[in-house]
Amino acid sequence: MAKERKVFRLSYIIIVIIVETNLEKVENNDMGVGSSSITLRFRSDILNKLKHEAAQKRISLNTLATQVFTTHAEYDAYASTSGMVSIPKSLLITMMNQLEEEEVKKLSEHIAKNEMKDLTLLLRGEHNLNSFLLTIESWLRVSGFQYSYHTTDHDRIHRLVIQHEMGKRWSLYFERLFRYVFAELSLTSKPEFEVTDNVIAFKVRE
């Protein structure tokens, strides 16, 4: 037993990770946030898995760790509190396809009016265009959807493209959800949407 404990203790490796600010997020927020260092202890098998994932993604271990910690701090830590649960994608597709288009619209309106503001306030502490889009971006990262999010400083236009690969009903759901939220925010200009069966894109001005 003592030998097993010794082997177990030796299986831990201390590494130093510099917790840096996600540069893309800094650009989107137009604000600089400092960085600091922290020493963490990992089991060697976990560390090897992290190194392997970082190598597959062609990023540094430090960058991967920053992404993991950022996702937890910005989303995972609040997900269960806000009623978010994990459901297989295939089940979500099947359930949504059982609804008529009018039912999908009513569902998106209900979520927009009764859930999105609470979720944005919980995660970001305020409810405006920037905080809403950052909340959506955090959710997209966790969900694993392919997406592209850009802002331009000179005209303050936000562009978001989501490739969800979940079919026509989900495209309708996302489009209506975003439209309802944007309407509630009383934006100065009308958002522009492009929608296909598996992709939804929009650009909106602050």
Side-chain angles (χ1 to χ4, degrees):
M1 176 66 87
K3 183 177 181 181
E4 291 179 355
R5 289 178 180 174
K6 183 177 181 180
V7 172
F8 184 77
R9 286 196 297 270
L10 290 175
S11 69
Y12 282 83
I13 298 176
I14 296 178
I15 65 172
V16 176
I17 297 178
I18 306 300
V19 183
E20 298 176 321
T21 302
N22 185 301
L23 295 181
E24 181 180 356
K25 188 62 65 60
V26 170
E27 293 174 358
N28 288 339
N29 284 329
D30 288 328
M31 57 185 296
V33 181
S35 65
S36 57
S37 63
I38 182 172
T39 301
L40 301 175
R41 185 186 296 263
F42 290 91
R43 286 203 332 253
S44 57
D45 59 325
I46 298 298
L47 180 57
N48 289 333
K49 290 179 179 179
L50 293 172
K51 288 180 176 178
H52 179 68
E53 181 176 350
Q56 284 187 319
K57 294 180 176 180
R58 298 184 178 182
I59 59 177
S60 68
L61 181 59
N62 182 85
T63 298
L64 177 62
T66 299
Q67 292 175 353
V68 171
F69 297 149
T70 299
T71 298
H72 176 78
E74 293 183 352
Y75 188 85
D76 290 345
Y78 305 96
S80 59
T81 305
S82 61
M84 306 295 284
V85 296
S86 297
I87 299 178
K89 188 175 181 179
S90 58
L91 177 57
L92 289 174
I93 294 173
T94 301
M95 292 171 63
M96 187 64 79
N97 286 340
Q98 303 303 311
L99 301 179
E100 298 294 333
E101 287 194 4
E102 198 58 37
E103 292 176 309
V104 175
K105 294 177 183 178
K106 289 181 180 179
L107 176 62
S108 62
E109 181 178 9
H110 172 79
I111 296 299
K113 292 182 176 180
N114 298 283
E115 303 291 341
M116 290 310 306
K117 184 174 183 178
D118 290 349
L119 179 61
T120 303
L121 287 171
L122 181 63
L123 267 61
R124 301 292 171 180
E126 57 184 353
H127 183 57
N128 53 42
L129 180 61
N130 280 315
S131 61
F132 170 69
L133 292 177
L134 289 175
T135 298
I136 293 300
E137 187 181 17
S138 296
W139 170 73
L140 288 171
R141 283 200 302 268
V142 173
S143 301
F145 290 144
Q146 296 295 315
Y147 75 96
S148 174
Y149 175 44
H150 299 285
T151 62
T152 51
D153 293 333
H154 67 280
D155 55 10
R156 307 305 299 169
I157 290 180
H158 300 259
R159 294 176 173 84
L160 179 64
V161 180
I162 305 172
Q163 185 175 350
H164 55 82
E165 300 291 343
M166 295 177 72
K168 181 179 179 181
R169 288 288 194 274
W170 276 101
S171 282
L172 175 62
Y173 170 82
F174 288 129
E175 178 194 3
R176 290 290 175 164
L177 176 71
F178 292 137
R179 286 188 184 277
Y180 286 128
V181 173
F182 293 153
E184 184 183 49
L185 292 173
S186 301
L187 303 175
T188 57
S189 61
K190 186 177 180 180
E192 299 178 22
F193 284 84
E194 290 185 40
V195 182
T196 70
D197 286 354
N198 293 299
V199 175
I200 175 169
F202 66 77
K203 63 178 180 179
V204 58
R205 187 190 303 271
E206 290 184 31

